[in-house]
Structure formats: C-alpha cells, structure tokens
C-alpha cells in the first residue's frame, strides 16, 4: 500500500485525511468516467495495466525509458546521446510485477520534492532547539551566531533542512526504523541530534571563527 501511495503522490493526485485517519486519493485513471476518490488500499497500480501505464508514460515524458528485456527490467536516461542505466531489477514473477517494482524504484530515486510529515517535523524542531541551546549554554562569554530573536526565526529553517536529509526522507518513505542504524546511531533521536549539531557547526558557527 505504501508503494501505491508513493506512486499516487508522484502522479499528483490530490489527497486528504479521512475522518478515520486514512488518506483519500482522487483519480480518474480507472474504469469510471470522471474523478473517483479512493483510499490508499484501493489503489491498483500493482495489478492493473490501466493504472500503471499512465505512470510509465509520465516517466517517459521526463526523458527516461523503462525497458523490459530477457530477465530484467530497467530504467535508462538519454543524456548527451549516451544511455545511462539508472538501475535494473531482476525479473521475478510477472511482467507487471517487474514493471511496477521498476516504477517504484525510479520514483524513489527521482522524486525531487521532499516528503513532509508534520509530526516528524515537530520532533526534529524540538531536537534542533535542544541542540542549539546546548551550544548557547557553553558560549557564556562568546558571541552566538544569531541573537535570540533571530535564532527563534531560524530554527524552523534548520529543522526543514534536517527533514530533507536523505536518511530522514528514506524513513518517511519506507517507515522502517532500521534506517537509523546505517550510521551507527541506533535510534532516530541520536541521529537527528547528531546531524543537527553537524549542520549548525557547518552553517552558523563558522561565522564566529571567521570574524
């Protein structure tokens, strides 16, 4: 279901939260005439060519080509008259399964718009504020990069940058908690505060050192 929702977002379907907490998507690419609203679990990209082919056509409109040959399915891009193979998937199961998996992998690689989750953003904002405060309390006799008013205005921007981190985005897409283990942090809090510290040092405290 999460892969179908990813495709729906890529296709630009409007979505909203229903009263029961599930998301609704508006689509007109099924057998019905006109727009039809469906829940995430009622999206059929994984089993219907009528649903999947418009996605393939959109990928092709972006300058890519999905190719199925022999035992694999891959996406390529024509760059300066040379073919760049982005990735390939070994064909396991039916042709539609292979195509669907390739489409999902393409969207994960291509998607230029960072996913946003208000709850995760708020958590990140808290950790960014804590990290900033830790710097402040050890700067008793030194100048901070920003005064209190400026820092209050800038912390949400820092939180947005952390939200756009590749690992955080991977979590928002897959909702797999093991993603935090990739760099030895072990949990989301440790990872978020570590990259917050690194980002703040790199983008704010260098101004003090250069004065």
């Amino acid at each position: 279901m999460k892969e179908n929702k990813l495709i729906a977002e890529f296709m630009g379907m409007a979505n909203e939260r229903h009263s029961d907490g599930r998301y609704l998507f508006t689509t007109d690419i099924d057998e019905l005439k006109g727009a039809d609203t469906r829940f995430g679990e009622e999206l059929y990209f994984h089993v219907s060519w009528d649903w999947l082919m418009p996605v393939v056509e959109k990928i092709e409109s972006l300058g890519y080509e999905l190719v199925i040959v022999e035992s694999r399915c891959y996406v390529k891009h024509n760059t300066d008259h040379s073919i760049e193979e982005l990735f390939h998937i070994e064909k396991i199961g039916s042709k539609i399964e292979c195509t669907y998996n390739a489409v999902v992998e393409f969207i994960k690689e291509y998607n230029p718009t960072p996913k946003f989750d208000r709850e995760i953003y708020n958590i990140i904002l808290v950790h960014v504020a804590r990290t900033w405060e830790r710097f402040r309390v050890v700067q008793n006799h030194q100048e901070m990069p920003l005064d209190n008013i400026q820092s209050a205005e800038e912390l949400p921007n820092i939180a947005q940058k952390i939200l756009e981190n590749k690992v955080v985005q991977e979590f928002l897409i897959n909702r797999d908690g093991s993603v935090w283990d990739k760099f030895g942090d072990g949990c989301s809090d440790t990872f978020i505060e570590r990259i917050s510290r690194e980002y703040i040092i790199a983008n704010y405290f260098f101004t003090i050192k250069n004065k």
Side-chain angles (χ1 to χ4, degrees):
M1 185 177 67
K2 64 184 179 183
E3 284 81 6
N4 278 342
K5 290 170 67 176
L6 181 69
I7 296 175
E9 292 172 356
F10 174 73
M11 295 299 289
M13 297 179 185
N15 62 81
E16 59 184 30
R17 190 181 291 274
H18 192 259
S19 58
D20 65 1
R22 294 184 296 169
Y23 279 97
L24 286 168
F25 295 87
T26 300
T27 175
D28 58 2
I29 60 173
D30 60 10
E31 70 280 1
L32 300 178
K33 300 296 182 181
D36 179 42
T37 302
R38 295 176 177 269
F39 289 109
E41 61 267 30
E42 297 171 333
L43 302 175
Y44 301 128
F45 298 106
H46 60 303
V47 293
S48 170
W49 285 113
D50 290 336
W51 282 64
L52 191 57
M53 285 310 298
V55 186
V56 174
E57 290 170 358
K58 180 173 181 178
I59 291 173
E60 292 176 343
S61 74
L62 297 171
Y64 297 85
E65 182 180 357
L66 190 148
V67 179
I68 300 176
V69 57
E70 296 179 350
S71 62
R72 62 180 183 160
C73 179
Y74 64 93
V75 174
K76 65 181 182 179
H77 185 216
N78 191 336
T79 306
D80 296 330
H81 305 292
S82 63
I83 298 300
E84 174 189 358
E85 183 177 322
L86 300 183
F87 55 82
H88 76 270
I89 297 175
E90 295 301 323
K91 185 178 178 183
I92 300 175
S94 66
K95 181 181 291 186
I96 192 170
E97 289 173 329
C98 182
T99 305
Y100 175 78
N101 290 334
V103 164
V104 169
E105 290 304 314
F106 169 83
I107 294 173
K108 288 179 180 179
E109 291 290 328
Y110 172 81
N111 200 342
T113 304
K115 290 181 67 62
F116 183 84
D117 183 291
R118 173 60 62 179
E119 181 180 2
I120 300 300
Y121 170 82
N122 289 340
I123 292 172
I124 291 174
L125 181 57
V126 169
H127 286 296
V128 167
R130 289 175 177 172
T131 303
W132 185 272
E133 181 64 11
R134 291 191 186 102
F135 281 111
R136 190 194 66 78
V137 297
V138 297
Q139 296 285 118
N140 294 329
H141 305 292
Q142 300 179 46
E143 181 183 0
M144 286 289 286
L146 304 172
D147 63 30
N148 289 339
I149 294 177
Q150 291 174 319
S151 63
E153 295 173 346
E154 190 64 14
L155 292 182
N157 296 330
I158 299 174
Q160 179 62 37
K161 291 296 184 181
I162 303 303
L163 184 76
E164 294 172 5
N165 176 274
K166 185 175 181 179
V167 176
V168 178
Q169 287 292 305
E170 183 177 343
F171 172 76
L172 292 180
I173 292 171
N174 298 320
R175 297 290 174 169
D176 181 359
S178 65
V179 68
W180 313 115
D181 295 328
K182 288 188 174 183
F183 299 96
D185 292 294
C187 69
S188 58
D189 292 356
T190 305
F191 176 84
I192 291 170
E193 294 204 5
R194 178 174 65 78
I195 61 174
S196 296
R197 178 181 175 84
E198 292 171 356
Y199 185 86
I200 290 171
I201 290 174
N203 293 277
Y204 295 91
F205 276 87
F206 78 93
T207 59
I208 294 177
K209 296 176 182 178
N210 291 339
K211 284 186 177 181

